[in-house]
Amino acid sequence: MMSRYREVAEIVLRYLEHRGRLVRLSITYLLPRIAHFLRDQFVTNYLMICMNHILHVLKIHAECSSGFIALGEMAGALDGELINYLSTISSHLRDAIAPRRGRPSLEALACVGNIAIAMGPTMEPHVRGLLDSMFSSGLSLTLVEALEQITESIPPLLPTIQNRLLEFISTILSRSHHSMPRQLASVSRGHITTVTPQVPELSGSALVQLALRTLARFNFKGHDLLEFAWESVVVYLEDEDGATRKDVALCCCKLVANYFSAISSTQFSPSRINRTSGKRRHRVVEEVYF
């Protein structure tokens, strides 16, 4: 293959404008694999033509999903070589994640995370510009996974994403109980931007369960969430849905474990915590275990 790389690449590129939709989708799928096989030769000879093709595919509604998947994989294959395309890519991502009509593209959401992994801090200003669109698309597993990838690859964005995601979760849990969203003054150290998400694909118990799982698994280091759990999470232990009750119990156990782990890793002992907060934390433990 290495000795015939140029021959194979040029055969594939001949079909970029094929009339058959399935053929075009297959070619879009192949481009990142060609890039990964011989990276340097691909960058020198084929990067421009392939990126022009992918950017064109992003404009075609019926094919843009394959374009975003290929784009994320291309970023992973080429590391920082897409830096000159980031502004254009970000524009396409924004339009697909928060379209004027139709549903948000989950492939575009996943693409943001993949590019963040590949580009690292270089992607920070572009991701900052995409956060409003990402959160407006509604809570989904794809969003959570993309945010995890972003916070791991671009640490300066962690506090902002933590605050916005906590407000997002608070809104979901509060709306599910037909009450006004609570402000998380006791949860966050900084300012929280109020989020008013669009109606997501998930709803009802499924949406609540995803919110609870996200609260348990996401990196909320630096936030004491036990008081929030007492105010907004423990109430779901009485939910009629058994799966929801299970997720509540697991979430609270995880938050309690995180709390005591944070205490043990600092110079402050539990006795230094004020009594009022301590009582509320104790109630959370009682609700879950007893």
Side-chain angles (χ1 to χ4, degrees), residues 129-165:
L130 291 170
L131 285 179
D132 285 342
S133 299
M134 294 176 71
F135 278 98
S136 73
S137 66
L139 188 67
S140 65
L141 182 58
T142 303
L143 172 65
V144 175
E145 291 174 346
L147 294 176
E148 287 176 336
Q149 292 172 317
I150 290 168
T151 54
E152 290 172 5
S153 305
I154 313 174
L157 288 178
L158 178 60
T160 299
I161 290 175
Q162 284 178 327
N163 291 342
R164 298 193 67 165
L165 190 54

Side-chain angles (χ1 to χ4, degrees), residues 203-222:
S203 61
S205 295
L207 182 59
V208 170
Q209 289 162 20
L210 178 57
L212 293 169
R213 292 168 190 169
T214 302
L215 190 62
R217 66 177 271 191
F218 198 82
N219 176 14
F220 287 118
K221 184 177 181 181

Side-chain angles (χ1 to χ4, degrees), residues 5 8-9 12 30-39 42 46:
Y5 179 79
V8 171
V12 171
L30 283 173
L31 295 183
R33 285 144 186 81
I34 294 175
H36 183 78
F37 197 81
L38 278 180
R39 176 184 181 279
F42 179 87
Y46 308 114

Side-chain angles (χ1 to χ4, degrees), residues 59-282:
K59 299 177 183 179
I60 305 173
H61 179 72
E63 300 180 19
C64 63
S65 294
S66 64
F68 285 118
I69 293 171
L71 187 58
E73 294 177 349
M74 186 75 78
L78 301 181
D79 297 327
E81 295 296 336
L82 298 187
I83 188 169
N84 293 329
Y85 296 92
L86 289 184
S87 295
T88 303
I89 289 172
S90 297
S91 178
H92 284 292
L93 289 170
R94 186 179 299 104
D95 291 342
I97 293 170
R100 295 181 179 178
R101 296 180 180 178
R103 299 177 178 177
S105 168
L106 295 181
E107 291 81 8
L109 274 174
C111 184
V112 178
N114 291 332
I115 295 179
I117 290 176
M119 303 296 293
T122 305
M123 192 66 181
E124 180 178 349
H126 301 280
V127 173
R128 285 190 184 276
L130 291 170
L131 285 179
D132 285 342
S133 299
M134 294 176 71
F135 278 98
S136 73
S137 66
L139 188 67
S140 65
L141 182 58
T142 303
L143 172 65
V144 175
E145 291 174 346
L147 294 176
E148 287 176 336
Q149 292 172 317
I150 290 168
T151 54
E152 290 172 5
S153 305
I154 313 174
L157 288 178
L158 178 60
T160 299
I161 290 175
Q162 284 178 327
N163 291 342
R164 298 193 67 165
L165 190 54
L166 283 170
E167 182 67 19
F168 212 37
I169 292 171
S170 175
T171 301
I172 291 169
L173 298 181
S174 298
R175 282 183 176 177
S176 297
H177 260 63
H178 307 289
S179 60
M180 294 299 292
R182 297 181 178 90
Q183 294 298 319
L184 300 183
S186 61
V187 176
S188 172
R189 293 177 176 178
H191 174 71
I192 298 178
T193 302
T194 300
V195 178
T196 306
Q198 298 175 357
V199 177
E201 292 297 310
L202 295 176
S203 61
S205 295
L207 182 59
V208 170
Q209 289 162 20
L210 178 57
L212 293 169
R213 292 168 190 169
T214 302
L215 190 62
R217 66 177 271 191
F218 198 82
N219 176 14
F220 287 118
K221 184 177 181 181
H223 293 267
D224 177 5
L225 297 178
L226 287 192
E227 187 168 348
F228 172 59
W230 168 248
E231 294 175 352
S232 301
V233 176
V234 169
V235 63
Y236 284 93
L237 285 170
E238 304 298 327
D239 195 88
E240 62 183 12
D241 188 291
T244 298
R245 294 196 302 272
K246 178 180 178 181
D247 284 328
V248 173
L250 293 173
C251 176
C252 290
C253 288
K254 181 66 174 178
L255 296 181
V256 169
N258 289 344
Y259 169 70
F260 284 111
S261 176
I263 286 179
S264 64
S265 64
T266 65
Q267 61 181 335
F268 300 103
S269 66
S271 61
R272 299 287 297 277
I273 306 297
N274 72 67
R275 293 180 180 180
T276 301
S277 297
K279 288 180 180 179
R280 289 177 178 174
R281 296 182 180 96
H282 185 65

